[in-house]
Amino acid sequence: LIGAAIAQQRPFTAKEYEMLSIYQHTNQMLDRQINEMLVFFPQTHDIVEAQKILQSSYKQTYENLRNSVIQSSRTHKSYPINSKEWFDRATDGVNAILNLSHAIDLHVSDDIKIIKTRARNTVFALFVTLLLVVFIFLLAFTATYRRILMPLSELEWSANTIAQGDLSQPIKVLSKDEFGDVAKAFEVMRTYLFNDREKRQKAEEELTKLSTAIEQSVSSI
């Protein structure tokens, strides 16, 4: 709009003054929002330099030139620059805004990379932790099975075997702890019962032989 008025060497119309006022108010609001947003970003070298360029080329050179052109139009004086010079200064101002946007984008991209890296590291750490927990669980289960479940199963089998009268199977001692002591006691009991049964069987055999001999004897007793 300003470039057209300068090229035509004419003052602004009332409608154009109203539009320029709206644009100026919008720019001021956006400028406040940008400043509020920049508070949340660290003052990196790129962002600081972009802010300096924006301050010098847009907020000072461009704004001052813009106000000078509008003032010249209001006082019906010739414009201080031609349309080509105005286009160049306006382009510098736009480039300053784009430069700040680019600096912010680079910082955001770096932050995203850092977040992704941390996320991958966190996932990897959780995966390793899960594997470690599974390994510890398996290790604990194996130790429990060997130290408790296997001896208990063996003792249960031995007790059932003895209860059923089978004394020929020796009891295995799988450990040297309390379960091993109980297994030894079971083995002592099994051995005692087995020997006792053997003695009783031999005594019964001797009595059977004696009874048979007496029944078959022709001599009276």
Side-chain angles (χ1 to χ4, degrees), residues 19-29 63 66-67:
M19 293 179 64
L20 288 173
S21 177
I22 294 174
Y23 294 155
Q24 180 68 5
H25 179 68
T26 303
N27 288 338
Q28 291 174 355
M29 291 180 58
E63 289 289 344
R66 175 186 180 278
N67 294 334

Side-chain angles (χ1 to χ4, degrees), residues 128-205:
V128 172
T129 303
L130 180 61
L131 290 180
L132 183 60
V133 169
V134 172
F135 174 75
I136 293 175
F137 173 78
L138 292 177
L139 187 64
F141 176 79
T142 303
T144 303
Y145 180 77
R146 290 181 177 179
R147 294 180 59 86
I148 298 177
L149 297 181
M150 284 183 62
L152 282 176
S153 299
E154 183 67 23
L155 290 176
E156 181 183 8
W157 176 83
S158 301
N160 292 332
T161 303
I162 294 174
Q164 293 173 2
D166 184 5
L167 302 176
S168 61
Q169 300 293 332
I171 298 174
K172 299 178 181 179
V173 180
L174 301 178
S175 60
K176 296 181 180 180
D177 53 7
E178 292 82 358
F179 294 105
D181 295 338
V182 175
K184 291 179 181 179
F186 269 49
E187 177 63 15
V188 171
M189 181 179 65
R190 184 198 68 82
T191 303
Y192 174 80
L193 293 175
F194 181 80
N195 293 334
D196 181 68
R197 188 171 65 180
E198 290 291 322
K199 291 179 180 179
R200 284 188 288 106
Q201 287 179 350
K202 290 181 179 179
E204 289 176 359
E205 291 176 356

Side-chain angles (χ1 to χ4, degrees), residues 41-79:
F41 288 89
Q43 294 297 304
T44 62
H45 175 75
D46 292 339
I47 293 180
V48 171
E49 290 299 319
Q51 286 180 283
K52 290 180 180 179
I53 295 174
L54 180 66
Q55 183 68 29
S56 61
S57 64
Y58 180 78
K59 295 183 179 181
Q60 293 179 0
T61 303
Y62 173 78
E63 289 289 344
N64 292 336
L65 189 57
R66 175 186 180 278
N67 294 334
S68 176
V69 169
I70 295 175
Q71 183 63 27
S72 298
S73 175
R74 292 184 185 276
T75 57
H76 300 286
K77 295 180 180 180
S78 61
Y79 293 119

